[in-house]
Amino acid sequence: MNTKTIISVCLLLLACTTFAQSAPRYIELVETNFIDNTLTLLGRLEVRADLAMESNQVAQFRTLLNTRPDERTNLDNLLTPEQQQRLHQLLLQMKGPVFIALDPATQEKLGLTPEQKESIAIVLQHYEQFRLPFAQRYGRQLVAGITDQTAEERKAEVDALALAITQILKERDRDILHALTEEQRHIFVGLEGTPLEISWPQHGMVFGDTFKE
C-alpha cells in the first residue's frame, strides 16, 4: 500500500466516522514492553488514585521514570502485592485481547490449547500487515510531519491515521476472542477486574505524556 493510498483511506475513514474517545487498550504502545506499559499506566492520575498510592510511592515512581529504559526493573519494590494485582488487571484492560498472545501466564489461566495458540498467532500476523503501514506513517507525522502540509492538514491526517489503526486493532481483538471458547472469554473478562475509565490523550503518548496531574 503506497503513501497516497494510505492517506486517501485515512481521510475517507475520518470523513465517514465520528471521532469518539478510543478504548484505553487502543493507545499506541510497544506491545511487548510490559515495564514501560505499567509505568505509562502509573503515569495517569486515575490509576494512582485507584491504587491508593501513598506520597512516598509516587515519589519513587517519579525517580523510576528518570532512569534509563534499560535500567528499569519490575515494580515489586514500589507497590504492595494488592496494588500489583490491581495494576495487572488494568494492564489487561489497557492491552485488551492481544495480551492473551503476549502473556504466557494469561494463556495458562485460560487453558489455551496448542491449536488455539497457533490460531491466535496467525491472527496477529494477519492484522500486522495492515497495521504497520498506518503506524509508520502515524509515527512520522507525529514526530516531523510532511514539509508541504499545513498544520490543519497534518492534524487531519494524524486523526485519520489514529482512527484507521484503532479500527484494525478492534478487528484483530475480535478475531482473537473468536479463537476462545465461551468459558475462556468469560474467564478473560474476569481477569480484567473492575473497569477503570482513563482519560488518555488522543495522540500524546508518542510525546511521552506519562505523568498527568
Side-chain angles (χ1 to χ4, degrees), residues 58-159:
V58 176
Q60 292 178 50
F61 167 65
R62 289 178 183 270
T63 300
L64 189 59
L65 279 182
N66 291 327
T67 61
R68 287 169 38 188
D70 61 346
E71 295 176 344
R72 293 172 182 170
T73 58
N74 60 48
L75 306 174
D76 291 348
N77 297 325
L78 175 63
L79 303 177
T80 67
E82 292 76 14
Q83 288 173 325
Q84 291 179 44
Q85 181 180 9
R86 175 57 176 161
L87 185 62
H88 189 267
Q89 292 178 342
L90 297 178
L91 181 60
L92 261 67
Q93 291 181 29
M94 181 180 75
K95 302 306 298 179
V98 73
F99 197 84
I100 298 169
L102 305 175
D103 184 39
T106 299
Q107 295 176 11
E108 184 176 352
K109 291 176 182 177
L110 296 175
L112 293 190
T113 66
E115 292 76 16
Q116 286 178 309
K117 293 178 183 179
E118 181 179 0
S119 177
I120 291 174
I122 292 173
V123 168
L124 293 185
Q125 184 178 15
H126 171 75
Y127 282 99
E128 182 62 13
Q129 65 181 320
F130 299 110
R131 184 199 69 86
L132 187 58
F134 290 102
Q136 290 174 334
R137 178 78 178 190
Y138 178 74
R140 178 181 177 183
Q141 284 294 75
L142 282 174
V143 173
I146 307 301
T147 56
D148 61 349
Q149 281 185 318
T150 65
E152 291 76 14
E153 289 172 337
R154 180 184 176 190
K155 182 181 184 305
E157 185 182 342
V158 167
D159 287 346

Side-chain angles (χ1 to χ4, degrees), residues 31-65:
E31 295 196 317
T32 57
N33 192 332
F34 294 141
I35 293 295
D36 282 356
N37 283 186
T38 50
L39 290 177
T40 297
L41 273 171
L42 289 177
R44 310 311 298 177
L45 181 61
E46 305 96 323
V47 172
R48 298 197 300 277
D50 186 79
L51 297 178
M53 291 179 65
E54 302 288 347
S55 58
N56 65 313
Q57 290 179 307
V58 176
Q60 292 178 50
F61 167 65
R62 289 178 183 270
T63 300
L64 189 59
L65 279 182

